Amino acid sequence: MSNERPYARAMQRLQGAGLRPTRQRLGLARLLFDRGDRHVTAEQLHGEAMGDSLKVSLATVYNTLNQFTEAGLLREVVVEAGRSYFDTNTSAHHHFFHERDGMLEDIPSDHVVLTRVPEPPPGKKVARVEVIVRLSDAG
Amino acid sequence: MSNERPYARAMQRLQGAGLRPTRQRLGLARLLFDRGDRHVTAEQLHGEAMGDSLKVSLATVYNTLNQFTEAGLLREVVVEAGRSYFDTNTSAHHHFFHERDGMLEDIPSDHVVLTRVPEPPPGKKVARVEVIVRLSDAG
DNA sequence: TCAACCGTTTAGAATAACTAAAAACTAAAC
DNA sequence: GTTTAGTTTTTAGTTATTCTAAACGGTTGA
């Protein structure tokens, strides 16, 4: 149904977030959100955009990813020094991190149960609890 | 008792890790390990060294932190893009991260209980489970 | 319709964190 | 001491990310 208007969904997302639908943003939004849950780095996304003949600079990719994150369309996940992943799944969930190849993968939410969550210190509140399960090759 | 030989402990640690006890490494080890549990960045530690009139270059601080980490004396914790913390507590434990000022703090281990830990995918094993509780100012 | 204005967006330049390589130095072994 | 092997420093990258100034595009008024 949305074959005729491939940008319709991306457009809606941008409008909902109060971001102007520019060619670059639409293109990136489509790459990000029209392919199911994804975990991308800025570099990767830039590469995909090039391959998709969308002209964007890497800086714009960073700007866009940060704006999307700010707007709540993405979530930034930091697992390794010097590399940020952006996750299209913004609901509460956790991650496997494959140390060998640097891949990030969602953990189905019911597979982690935190029975006890620590009290925040006075004057502070818990913004988010993040669980990262680091995986290595089985011995 | 160790007042007379302030470097004795640091010396032992280095020897245990098979690292030559040079002036820089001894000085840094002392700053790191003789003050209880700490979470430092390379920049911070370099600053402390300077203040302690220990001549070390920033590159050496980075090298040393990485060597100590490799040797199991430290653990690297990544919570924010573009900044690594090194934790002198290498036992299994978790962290509060204060988003406002970028401070990292240990969570007493019995304050987090993971009832269910996810199965690793086939061919993989769990190397480590990391819980980060992000704190913001209470509304 | 056109032009002047003005906030927004973009992309190249700049910055910060970190690493690598080569030369200068130190510690330990003989 | 001299040699050797391991360390530190310096310098020069590299990489991820941010800054900024110029280009864009939409809006208003003529």
Side-chain angles (χ1 to χ4, degrees), chain B residues 25-125:
Chain B
R25 295 219 267 235
L26 276 171
L28 294 177
R30 214 153 80 88
L31 289 175
L32 286 168
F33 303 117
D34 285 5
R35 303 186 176 182
D37 285 351
R38 306 201 61 193
H39 304 88
V40 296
T41 64
E43 282 278 322
Q44 270 171 32
L45 185 60
H46 184 239
E48 285 182 25
M50 303 299 267
D52 213 34
S53 58
L54 167 68
K55 254 198 98 189
V56 217
S57 76
L58 184 56
T60 300
V61 173
Y62 275 107
N63 288 338
T64 305
L65 287 172
N66 288 332
Q67 286 156 356
F68 284 11
T69 302
E70 187 99 355
L73 303 180
L74 291 176
R75 185 204 285 179
E76 188 174 3
V77 184
V78 184
V79 275
E80 244 190 340
R83 177 179 292 157
S84 283
Y85 292 84
F86 292 87
D87 187 347
T88 59
N89 179 353
T90 57
S91 66
H93 71 288
H94 303 294
H95 293 104
F96 282 127
F97 177 63
H98 297 254
E99 291 183 335
R100 169 193 270 275
D101 55 8
M103 203 188 43
L104 203 60
E105 191 186 351
D106 282 356
I107 294 177
S109 59
D110 60 337
H111 287 204
V112 177
V113 178
L114 276 163
T115 309
R116 191 187 298 189
V117 177
E119 284 288 310
K124 299 282 180 175
K125 69 174 201 284

Side-chain angles (χ1 to χ4, degrees), chain A residues 92-96 105-112 131-133, chain B residues 118:
Chain A
H93 71 289
H94 304 295
H95 293 104
F96 282 127
E105 190 186 350
D106 281 357
I107 295 178
S109 60
D110 60 337
H111 287 203
V112 177
V131 178
I132 293 166
V133 179

Side-chain angles (χ1 to χ4, degrees), chain A residues 76 78-84 96 98-101 105 107 110-121 123-139, chain B residues 76 78-84 96 98-101 105 107 110-121 123-139:
Chain A
E76 188 175 2
V78 184
V79 275
E80 244 192 340
R83 179 179 293 157
S84 283
F96 282 127
H98 297 254
E99 291 183 337
R100 167 193 272 274
D101 54 8
E105 190 186 350
I107 295 178
D110 60 337
H111 287 203
V112 177
V113 179
L114 276 163
T115 309
R116 191 186 300 189
V117 177
E119 284 287 309
K124 299 281 179 175
K125 68 173 202 283
V126 174
R128 175 144 63 97
V129 178
E130 218 168 13
V131 178
I132 293 166
V133 179
R134 289 170 190 275
L135 299 174
S136 54
D137 292 326
Chain B
E76 188 174 3
V78 184
V79 275
E80 244 190 340
R83 177 179 292 157
S84 283
F96 282 127
H98 297 254
E99 291 183 335
R100 169 193 270 275
D101 55 8
E105 191 186 351
I107 294 177
D110 60 337
H111 287 204
V112 177
V113 178
L114 276 163
T115 309
R116 191 187 298 189
V117 177
E119 284 288 310
K124 299 282 180 175
K125 69 174 201 284
V126 174
R128 176 143 64 94
V129 178
E130 217 168 13
V131 177
I132 293 166
V133 178
R134 290 170 188 274
L135 300 173
S136 54
D137 292 324

Side-chain angles (χ1 to χ4, degrees), chain A residues 47-61:
Chain A
E48 286 183 23
M50 304 298 268
D52 212 34
S53 59
L54 169 66
K55 256 198 95 188
V56 219
S57 76
L58 183 56
T60 300
V61 173

